[in-house]
Amino acid sequence: MSPPIFVLNGPNLNMLGKREPAIYGTATLADVRQIVESHAASVGVATDFRQTNSEGELIEWVHEARDRASGIVLNAGAYTHTSIALFDALKSAELPVVEVHLSNIFARESFRHHSYVAMAAVGVICGFGVRGYTMALDALIEHFKKPAA
Ligand code: DQA
């Protein structure tokens, strides 16, 4: 089996289910993990699902991914909009990254319209709730099949 896809979640995503359910829905992070892992199993890929509230830890996981993952699905939460350090880490990982957000960040406050992560990503999926994670996994798997340009 190929190396796992790292599914990394940033700050406040441990609060899913309780946090602004009108925006983020009622599924908990444990529910998201279960949906991701059962979808991954059904399409025959391994995943390594993690969440942290720490920018440094998220960056260290991206460094780890360079040698241990085949790609990254990343919901970096608010670090998406603020972290040049995370952008630099993603560039250094030299791996395909799909950015995901539960909410449609472009229909929200203007400070959410810019993403540093997007500049290092193959593509971005947002606004589809938890389903965005399985869409992101599928997008990454499709991307693996493409010959290098
Ligand atoms: C989010 C969108 C971000 O703007 C926000 O800071 C989050 C969650 C999402 O999944 O919709 O924490 O990444």
Side-chain angles (χ1 to χ4, degrees):
M1 213 185 211
S2 352
I5 294 170
F6 277 19
V7 182
L8 303 181
N9 295 278
N12 301 308
L13 292 164
N14 56 313
M15 300 301 289
L16 283 181
K18 296 181 209 145
R19 174 190 183 200
E20 300 183 88
I23 296 175
Y24 297 115
T26 51
T28 64
L29 190 67
D31 296 332
V32 178
R33 180 180 193 141
Q34 205 265 319
I35 289 163
V36 164
E37 289 177 353
S38 74
H39 183 73
S42 75
V43 295
V45 297
T47 51
D48 188 336
F49 188 98
R50 306 181 191 183
Q51 187 274 333
T52 180
N53 291 319
S54 150
E55 184 176 12
E57 188 164 37
L58 194 55
I59 288 167
E60 277 163 21
W61 288 347
V62 172
H63 294 168
E64 183 188 334
R66 185 187 158 98
D67 298 320
R68 302 218 14 236
S70 54
I72 303 174
V73 169
L74 176 60
N75 184 349
Y79 294 141
T80 305
H81 317 298
T82 61
S83 182
I84 297 169
L86 179 59
F87 167 70
D88 285 346
L90 291 167
K91 293 297 279 185
S92 78
E94 295 180 351
L95 284 173
V97 177
V98 176
E99 174 179 351
V100 63
H101 300 282
L102 296 150
S103 64
N104 178 357
I105 56 174
F106 300 105
R108 301 182 62 197
E109 303 95 328
S110 59
F111 60 80
R112 295 185 204 276
H113 297 177
H114 179 264
S115 166
Y116 287 106
V117 171
M119 297 169 71
V122 176
V124 182
I125 293 168
C126 73
F128 296 99
V130 180
R131 205 172 142 244
Y133 281 76
T134 57
M135 294 165 80
L137 267 186
D138 289 341
L140 202 49
I141 293 162
E142 278 305 310
H143 178 81
F144 293 149
K145 293 182 194 157
K146 273 196 204 153

